[in-house]
Amino acid sequence: MCSEGLSGDPAEAFVFLADTVRRAPQRPPPGKALGLFLFNSASIRGSRHASVGSYTKRMPVSTSYSSDSPTEHHQDQLLASKGRGVEAAQRMAELFSQEMQLQDLLEQALHIALEAADAENGSILLADPDTRALIFHHSIGENPAASGIAVPWHESIAGAVYTTGMPDIVSDARADVRHFKKVDRATGSITRDMITVPLKGWDGAPIGVIQVMNKRGNACLNHDDLAVLTIISTLTAVALEHMSLN
């Protein structure tokens, strides 16, 4: 049985920060300055243990709890969730300050995603408009998928996320009719739960998706994991677009 993730301030705040990066008025600058640009665009500064309120003040969400105020333990969980997001964003920004090939950068981004979500497998799929399919570009984890495997847009969770531009959390992939089981058969893996997040270019158009599967332990991937993965997917998409222009 999956345990529920936290909801509220951290998740909503990091989705907002990711959107801030993508909607910045200028394209990313060349070279190593890209990492600093991304770091500053999201306005992530100072200690990762800063108060949740410092982020939620910019969000159009209620922060009043009245009689349903969270316990001290719950507050600690909220801060821990926010801390994971800040750390992931910092690590992603650091990647851009290093000289590396795109494949190496994508692999490192997936490692950050798996560590942040405590999940078994992760993949980046890029769109091929000619075949109307998403192609596995990079995959890591316990049962990675081979590069080049094609996933049709019209019969997969990845395809639904790509075509709608909306992320999706699936707590029971085997019961979801959209689940493309051919990948499981090819990898020998059994996908239990997954989060799929669109990769969007600077203009907001989707270019692919990032997927993370099978949270470890007695838990499912949840909205707090989605918040962190939204940051990672946004910065990964910026890297893909930046490197395609050079």
Side-chain angles (χ1 to χ4, degrees):
M1 191 67 168
C2 294
S3 63
E4 291 294 328
L6 301 171
S7 61
D9 297 341
E12 292 169 337
F14 283 118
V15 170
F16 173 79
L17 291 175
D19 199 52
T20 298
V21 174
R22 188 176 62 78
R23 294 177 183 274
Q26 70 272 35
R27 287 182 177 272
K32 294 183 178 181
L34 179 59
L36 181 60
F37 169 80
L38 294 173
F39 196 74
N40 290 336
S41 293
S43 300
I44 301 174
R45 298 185 177 89
S47 169
R48 66 184 181 187
H49 299 295
S51 67
V52 174
S54 64
Y55 289 92
T56 56
K57 286 178 181 177
R58 301 177 62 187
M59 293 294 298
V61 296
S62 171
T63 56
S64 61
Y65 299 101
S66 62
S67 60
D68 296 323
S69 296
T71 64
E72 183 177 345
H73 175 67
H74 188 70
Q75 286 281 24
D76 289 343
Q77 288 180 302
L78 291 175
L79 290 173
S81 176
K82 183 191 71 65
R84 285 191 305 136
V86 172
E87 182 177 5
Q90 288 174 331
R91 292 178 63 187
M92 286 295 295
E94 289 170 0
L95 288 181
F96 293 101
S97 67
Q98 304 174 29
E99 296 288 348
M100 63 174 63
Q101 298 296 315
L102 178 60
Q103 284 293 106
D104 295 331
L105 188 148
L106 295 181
E107 180 174 348
Q108 290 302 312
L110 284 173
H111 277 296
I112 293 171
L114 292 191
E115 290 173 16
D118 193 21
E120 295 177 0
N121 301 305
S123 301
I124 290 174
L125 297 81
L126 299 181
D128 182 354
D130 293 335
T131 62
R132 297 182 62 80
L134 290 161
I135 311 299
F136 274 87
H137 187 73
H138 209 84
S139 183
I140 67 168
E142 297 182 6
N143 299 95
S147 297
I149 294 179
V151 177
W153 290 357
H154 63 282
E155 54 177 290
S156 63
I157 295 169
V161 169
Y162 171 76
T163 55
T164 64
M166 299 295 293
D168 198 355
I169 303 174
V170 176
S171 59
D172 186 357
R174 288 169 290 183
D176 195 312
V177 295
R178 301 171 301 165
H179 180 45
F180 192 66
K181 297 179 177 62
K182 290 181 181 180
V183 176
D184 279 0
R185 290 196 290 269
T187 62
S189 177
I190 297 177
T191 302
R192 302 185 303 272
D193 57 317
M194 71 166 68
I195 289 180
T196 308
V197 186
L199 295 168
K200 296 183 179 181
W202 208 255
D203 60 357
I207 59 176
V209 302
I210 184 169
Q211 283 190 317
V212 169
M213 288 79 74
N214 295 350
K215 193 174 184 71
R216 301 178 192 278
N218 186 30
C220 279
L221 293 160
N222 54 57
H223 284 86
D224 301 305
D225 298 314
L226 172 60
V228 178
L229 294 173
T230 299
I231 283 285
I232 294 172
S233 68
T234 299
L235 302 187
T236 300
V238 170
L240 283 164
E241 184 167 81
H242 172 72
M243 291 189 174
S244 68
L245 296 173
N246 290 277

